[in-house]
Amino acid sequence: MEVYFQLVTDPDRLKEACESLSGEEYLGFDTETTELDPYEGVLRLVQLSNGKNTLVIDLKPFAEKGDLRTIPELEPLRQILEAEKPVKIAHNAKFDAKWVGHHLGADVGGTFDTMLASQLIAAGDQDRRHSLAEVVSFFLGMELDKSEQVSDWNAESLSDSQIEYAAKDAAIMVPLREKLSEKLKEDGLEAAARIEFDCVTPIARMELNGFYIDRDCWRAQLDKVKAEQEEIAAELQGLLSAGVAQASLFGAAEINLDSQAQVADALKNLGVPIPDSTRAWQLQPLAKDYPVVAKLLEYRSVAKSLTSFGENILEFVNPETGRIHADFRQIGAPTGRFSCSKPNLQQIPHGPEYRKCFRAEKGHKLIVADYSQIELRILAEFSGDERFIQAFRSGEDFHASAAAQVFGVTPSEVTPDQRTFAKRLNFGVVYGIGAQRLALITGFKDREAENILRRYFATYRGLDEWLRSAARRAVEERSARTASGRMARFRFDESERSQVASTQRNGKNMPIQGTSADILKRALALLHGSLKGTSGRLVNIVHDEIVVEAAEAEAGSTAKILTEAMVMAARDFVRNVPIEVDVSIADDWAKS
DNA sequence: GTGAAGGGCCAC
DNA sequence: AAACGTGGCCCTTCAC
């Protein structure tokens, strides 16, 4: 590919060059940086390309004039980046959006992300890779040389090879988008793609914002757990070594409490009839007869807290901002759900002792909003089941009214046990639960569980029908879709019962879980728009929950904005079932 | 030493 | 034995 590019180093040329491209529908967009973290490195180049002409803008000379975020010389660049048109095509646009967000103070407007497009098209195929080189090779059949990617972008003057590499990466975006757009259309993925693209900038902003954690609070909590752990470990050690004491005259051998093998051995020696594994749910029934088992479960829980949610979390606190800037993967799961790492802010224990350490900074509040039973409402919408929908419309406690309907009693007659049972059943149904599993989690006999499931589906005939047809479609079409059209493909061997069964469960679950993800993403895009010009900053998301930090004086209005965005987003896909959002304003995350 | 696999458990 | 979905992170174990 022949690339024509011009290196831009002065304001006059920048203005003129930006004007020459501002009428385009689409522009390839890329950046070159000295680090991966925008808080640590320098933004050296910004490249924009219409496929024929490519601007390689060197920011080094501009940086000498002052703060890149405020110098007027860069206004033409900021404008073109922030505009909805031209749409900026980038690979993993979140990365570039974060850099220009932090260093130029520009929120990227219209976006087309070739990585997300490729992921949507792959529809969960784990074998496909989504690096730029792989995507270009797969869709354009071209080989891309990425050797300059890690070159020195700090150098006083960049080499021709570096500049040409930079230009090429932006230029290639244009034909790549054309190809991907065709494919998105062909696969019915345009609406899903729009949802994905529109939340790139909100997520980039969220990562830049970070989530404030009170380190002292966290350490205090840690010390408590540490002391607790030492005590429990000693007790468990004593109980377990009773079984191996004979092994040594010098006292009991130390058992590594974190080794399943050693612990299982010790338990056997004590005569505990352990099942095939020492998993919590298998050990739970033994806990009341064997104190050592109860102690082991206690130890595991504390150990988990200490290792996964201990000092290590604090290592992620950015020294500059004092906040945690986790890494969110937009299409983290084939269902469309986010995943999060470094650290995973989506798995912080729900207990207030942990969550109270995640706080708003001085003079600010956290606004925490979550959808109430969004997945069940989506299931209600999909199935169109009148009774199920009615249970939501009544506005009463959903699990209680479900219990009343299933057990044939009036809502006031529902016992706490019946409610708990209905709740488990409701959640289980979303995952495609079977009678055996239901029996296991409720303590019912298999036969009883079967009867209850039958009664449940006799009560909600529409639900039953939808779930059955979703399962059937998943096997026949080897795929499933969410309300936005997002797709997951299933690979399985139809002669393997367990694989077919697994596909059926996936067929039931993916549209529900994935539509929930569609809704959350739509909400993020709406929210980003309505928070502009306010103090509100997105700081975390957890599947059906959004956390915003805002100035105290604006907490109330931010709560309204947040609720509105979430309800509006859900209405795009759920029209016949009421949507409820629980919102709270607090100093920390422990509420709810 | 490093890396993968498997068991285990946290979140929704 | 027989699995209710999606992730990430920690640990031990074992192979290189």
Side-chain angles (χ1 to χ4, degrees), chain A residues 304-337:
Chain A
K304 171 74 181 173
S305 309
L306 216 50
T307 55
S308 291
F309 312 110
E311 206 79 39
N312 44 356
I313 294 271
L314 297 181
E315 286 163 20
F316 290 103
V317 174
N318 182 313
E320 188 180 324
T321 64
R323 300 165 71 99
I324 291 180
H325 305 263
D327 187 13
F328 287 81
R329 279 185 56 195
Q330 219 172 291
I331 303 182
T335 55
R337 267 199 184 182

Side-chain angles (χ1 to χ4, degrees), chain A residues 420-437:
Chain A
T420 305
F421 186 81
K423 186 175 171 182
R424 289 188 167 148
L425 196 46
N426 285 329
F427 283 124
V429 160
V430 172
Y431 302 139
I433 199 169
Q436 274 185 7
R437 182 72 182 162

Side-chain angles (χ1 to χ4, degrees), chain A residues 371 519 565-579:
Chain A
Y371 286 109
I519 290 172
M566 290 173 77
V567 171
M568 288 237 309
R571 288 225 202 298
D572 284 355
F573 302 108
V574 179
R575 297 181 185 90
N576 298 309
V577 184
I579 291 296

Side-chain angles (χ1 to χ4, degrees), chain A residues 24 36 111 136 143 336 364 423 482-483:
Chain A
E24 299 284 349
L36 293 174
T111 308
V136 166
E143 297 315 310
H364 290 68
K423 186 175 171 182
T482 68

Side-chain angles (χ1 to χ4, degrees), chain A residues 206-225:
Chain A
M206 176 173 71
E207 290 189 2
L208 287 175
N209 292 338
F211 201 171
Y212 179 70
I213 184 171
D214 181 335
R215 277 176 269 193
D216 293 336
C217 172
W218 191 261
R219 281 200 200 91
Q221 153 66 8
L222 222 61
D223 288 343
K224 252 190 269 168
V225 182

